[in-house]
């Protein structure tokens, strides 16, 4: 049985406010998927900067911290299930807000595709290692990824409290296993007992000869892809008990953890494979970075276990992506931008079941189009969807940062120190240059799909906004009246200026 988006009293129906800070952390960690990201994403960076993978991830960490400042300041004032849809709408106007909401919905949807394909590939490898499915064909990633999305849909429509606890537990276990492997690998490197006579090599913190500094920004995009989703807790603003305190804590905490984790893990990964040309080639061609290190430095059973953990992480990230996209779809539908059907909330589950179903169906359409129409393979879909999602996300981060600057520094608010303006300005510079460096010159071949679909997604969103001016104005009115979107009037000046502690 379902309920409409308004209650019997005519008030907008709200989501159940029952989450703690740890469950908000869980949704951000699950979407960031540090265990899955560490097993795949550094390979993309290595193709451009060689052994200097940790430098690219360190630069991405700096960029993410600059963006985290934006989300901390915004979530100290606003708590809205639409995340940047609400933030940008309240600071730059309803048109910009709707475009941002549409954009981030695209990011989460494409990330659901990315992670379902990663999960499908890991699942195929795991079944092969167990002897259940010998030498699975390439299309097995499509099939297993699609089957996994059935479970993802079911978990996405359950109350978020249980879902986020599952995500947090699964990711914590997998990350713990990875940390164990990294510690063992580094110990053997330091003790000169590593395979092939490898040892600790600090050259991973320097650029190889002949690679200019600007090239590092080509590799940074995979760093941003690894961090993507650290802000996902913002979509739970209407379901967290103390959103103005807990959501900023979750966002900043996950960003800091991710930075330290990725910097250390990528450094040891590169050292573990070796910094020579042969070692970097083996690093790039690995099917599972942590799994291969576990097999080489510890035992094959640990490598298989890491593969299982990466699979769980991937589908956990698919779940977090689906939850984020469905909350955004729900928010825009409730505010009159999308069809009202998407704002339906289950009377029993108190979750946006129709919006969640729409997101999962969109994932299936993308998988089917790639599999049957284009004749593609799961890994190529993984790469292209990841590129699309990340390019869209960089634009969203820039819009959110501009909105935060306007709200905090140019609205007469004297509670924030003026020198802090340099933080978002630096963030815009880093994000803008990274975006430019990765889309120009335009790529050719399969890589063409990345910027092309990104541009098309924004064109559709802008056209929709321009074609529905009345609905956009109504959304703006609803945004300013919605709980948590009344700016500093709903939060004391002390709350807005205080650090996240």
């Amino acid at each position: 049985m379902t309920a409409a988006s308004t209650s019997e009293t005519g008030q907008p129906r709200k989501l159940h406010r029952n989450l703690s800070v740890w469950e908000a952390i869980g949704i951000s960690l699950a979407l960031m998927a540090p265990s899955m990201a560490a097993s795949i994403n550094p390979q993309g960076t290595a193709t451009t900067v060689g052994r200097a993978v940790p430098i690219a991830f360190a630069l991405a960490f700096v960029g993410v911290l600059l963006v985290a400042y934006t989300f901390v300041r915004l979530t100290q004032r606003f708590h809205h299930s639409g995340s940047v849809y609400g933030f940008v709408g309240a600071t730059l106007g309803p048109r910009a807000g709707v475009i941002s909401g549409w954009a981030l919905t695209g990011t989460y949807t494409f990330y659901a595709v990315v992670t379902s394909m990663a999960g499908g590939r890991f699942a195929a490898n795991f079944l092969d290692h167990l002897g259940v499915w010998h030498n699975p064909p390439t299309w097995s990633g499509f099939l297993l990824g699609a089957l996994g999305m059935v479970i993802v849909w079911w978990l996405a429509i359950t109350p978020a409290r249980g879902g986020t606890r599952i995500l947090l537990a699964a990711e914590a276990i997998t990350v713990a296993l990875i940390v164990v492997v990294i510690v063992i690998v580094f110990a053997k490197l330091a003790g000169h007992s590593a395979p092939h006579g490898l040892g600790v090599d600090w050259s991973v913190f320097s650029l190889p000869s002949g690679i200019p500094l600007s090239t590092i920004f080509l590799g940074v995009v995979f760093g941003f892809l690894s961090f993507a989703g650290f802000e996902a807790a913002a979509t739970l603003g209407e379901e967290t008990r103390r959103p103005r305190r807990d959501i900023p804590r979750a966002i900043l905490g996950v960003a800091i953890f991710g930075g330290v984790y990725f910097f250390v893990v990528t450094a040891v990964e590169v050292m573990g494979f070796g910094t020579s040309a042969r070692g970097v080639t083996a690093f790039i061609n690995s099917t599972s970075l942590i799994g291969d290190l576990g097999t080489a430095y510890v035992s094959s059973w640990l490598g298989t276990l890491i593969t299982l953990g990466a699979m769980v992480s991937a589908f956990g990230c698919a779940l977090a992506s689906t939850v984020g996209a469905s909350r955004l779809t729900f928010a825009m539908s409730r505010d009159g931008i999308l069809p009202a059907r998407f704002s339906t909330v289950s009377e029993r589950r108190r979750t946006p079941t129709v919006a969640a179903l729409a997101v999962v169906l969109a994932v299936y359409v993308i998988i089917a189009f790639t599999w049957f129409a284009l004749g593609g393979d799961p890994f190529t879909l993984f790469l292209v969807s990841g590129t699309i999602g990340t390019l869209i996300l960089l634009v969203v981060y820039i819009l959110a940062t501009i909105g935060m600057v306007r709200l905090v520094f140019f609205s007469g608010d004297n509670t924030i120190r003026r020198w802090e303006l340099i933080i978002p300005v630096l963030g815009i510079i880093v994000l803008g240059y990274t975006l430019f460096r990765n889309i120009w010159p335009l790529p050719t071949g399969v890589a063409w799909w990345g910027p092309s679909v990104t541009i098309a997604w924004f064109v559709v969103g802008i056209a929709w906004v321009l074609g529905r001016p009345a609905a956009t104005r109504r959304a703006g009115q609803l945004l300013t009246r919605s709980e948590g979107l009344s700016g500093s009037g709903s939060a004391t000046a002390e709350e807005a200026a205080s650090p996240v502690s």
Side-chain angles (χ1 to χ4, degrees):
M1 184 175 180
T2 59
S5 60
T6 57
S7 64
E8 293 179 358
T9 62
Q11 297 298 317
R13 188 173 294 279
K14 298 176 182 179
L15 301 171
H16 189 38
R17 194 178 291 282
N18 67 336
L19 302 182
S20 69
V21 63
W22 291 107
E23 289 154 332
I25 289 173
I27 197 71
S28 284
L29 273 178
L31 186 52
M32 192 170 74
S35 52
M36 183 196 73
S39 298
I40 297 178
N41 295 345
Q43 293 166 291
T45 301
T47 61
T48 58
V49 299
R51 69 181 185 230
V53 174
I55 298 179
F57 273 76
L59 182 57
F61 179 33
V62 172
V64 166
L65 283 181
L66 296 174
V67 174
Y69 175 86
T70 289
F71 280 95
V72 165
R73 287 304 184 192
L74 288 174
T75 54
Q76 283 176 334
R77 287 164 168 76
F78 305 141
H79 53 277
H80 189 266
S81 66
S83 184
V84 293
Y85 163 49
F87 302 155
V88 177
T91 56
L92 296 182
R95 287 184 176 179
V98 171
I99 291 172
S100 294
W102 170 256
L104 196 56
T105 301
T107 286
Y108 286 159
T109 301
F110 281 106
Y111 279 170
V113 176
V114 170
T115 50
S116 66
M117 291 300 94
R121 282 170 52 86
F122 288 135
N125 290 337
F126 181 68
L127 293 177
D128 189 17
H129 291 159
L130 292 182
V132 175
W133 193 355
H134 293 287
N135 299 319
T138 302
W139 54 260
S140 62
F142 284 130
L143 177 62
L144 296 175
L147 291 176
M149 285 303 297
V150 175
I151 300 174
V152 166
W153 170 76
W154 181 81
L155 290 175
I157 64 174
T158 61
R161 185 183 184 90
T164 51
R165 284 179 173 175
I166 292 172
L167 297 176
L168 183 58
E171 194 63 35
I173 293 171
T174 308
V175 169
L177 290 174
I178 289 177
V179 170
V180 169
V181 171
I182 291 300
V183 170
I184 294 174
V185 170
F186 187 78
K188 289 193 173 184
L189 290 169
H192 303 287
S193 59
H196 312 298
L198 295 173
V200 175
D201 189 344
W202 303 113
S203 67
V204 298
F205 302 116
S206 63
L207 284 173
S209 177
I211 295 182
L213 183 61
S214 63
T215 304
I216 203 75
F217 282 89
L218 294 176
V220 165
V221 71
F222 295 96
F224 278 115
L225 176 60
S226 300
F227 281 97
F230 80 95
E231 82 295 339
T235 64
L236 299 179
E238 294 183 36
E239 299 170 78
T240 305
R241 286 192 292 268
R242 293 171 293 188
R244 289 191 178 89
R245 190 191 74 169
D246 290 349
I247 297 298
R249 282 182 173 182
I251 292 173
L252 186 59
V254 169
I256 294 173
F257 163 77
V260 175
Y261 169 85
F262 285 125
F263 181 72
V264 173
V265 169
T266 55
V268 176
E269 281 179 328
V270 177
M271 292 182 191
F273 278 87
T275 58
S276 65
R278 181 178 179 180
V280 172
T281 299
F283 182 92
I284 294 172
N285 294 331
S286 171
T287 56
S288 175
L289 292 175
I290 304 296
D292 287 349
L293 287 177
T295 298
Y297 282 77
V298 187
S299 174
S300 60
W301 68 264
L302 184 57
T304 301
L305 190 59
I306 292 294
T307 299
L308 173 62
M311 179 190 72
V312 173
S313 174
F315 284 121
C317 184
L319 173 55
S321 299
T322 302
V323 169
S326 65
R327 274 19 176 212
L328 285 160
T329 302
F330 161 81
M332 289 190 291
S333 174
R334 181 186 60 187
D335 293 346
I337 298 300
L338 295 178
R341 178 68 175 169
F342 293 129
S343 64
T344 299
V345 176
S346 169
E347 188 71 34
R348 179 170 63 91
R349 298 176 183 270
R350 296 299 300 275
T351 56
T353 51
V354 176
L357 179 61
V359 172
V360 173
L361 289 178
V363 172
Y364 278 131
V365 168
I366 296 171
I367 293 174
F369 178 74
T370 304
W371 187 359
F372 300 111
L374 299 181
D377 63 86
F379 188 62
T380 299
L381 180 57
F382 170 88
L383 294 176
V384 173
S385 296
T387 300
I388 295 169
T390 303
L391 292 180
I392 294 174
L393 187 63
L394 292 180
V395 177
V396 170
Y397 284 165
I398 291 173
L399 287 174
T401 302
I402 294 173
M404 186 278 296
V405 168
R406 180 180 180 184
L407 172 69
V408 173
F409 296 99
F410 296 99
S411 62
D413 185 356
N414 296 318
T415 61
I416 306 299
R417 291 161 293 192
R418 307 306 296 178
W419 66 263
E420 292 185 27
L421 177 62
I422 190 64
I423 299 176
V425 169
L426 288 175
I428 292 173
I429 293 173
V430 172
L431 295 174
Y433 185 73
T434 301
L435 184 65
F436 169 79
R437 193 69 175 84
N438 283 274
I439 65 174
W440 188 262
L442 290 174
T444 58
V446 174
W448 172 87
W449 285 94
S452 298
V453 174
T454 300
I455 294 171
W457 190 267
F458 278 104
V459 168
V460 170
I462 293 172
W464 185 266
V465 168
L466 295 178
R468 293 171 59 85
T472 303
R473 285 194 299 271
R474 178 174 178 271
Q477 295 171 353
L478 290 174
L479 281 172
T480 57
R481 291 206 311 259
S482 294
E483 179 184 2
L485 286 178
S486 55
S488 59
S490 297
T492 66
E494 290 77 9
E495 284 178 320
S498 64
V500 183
S501 60

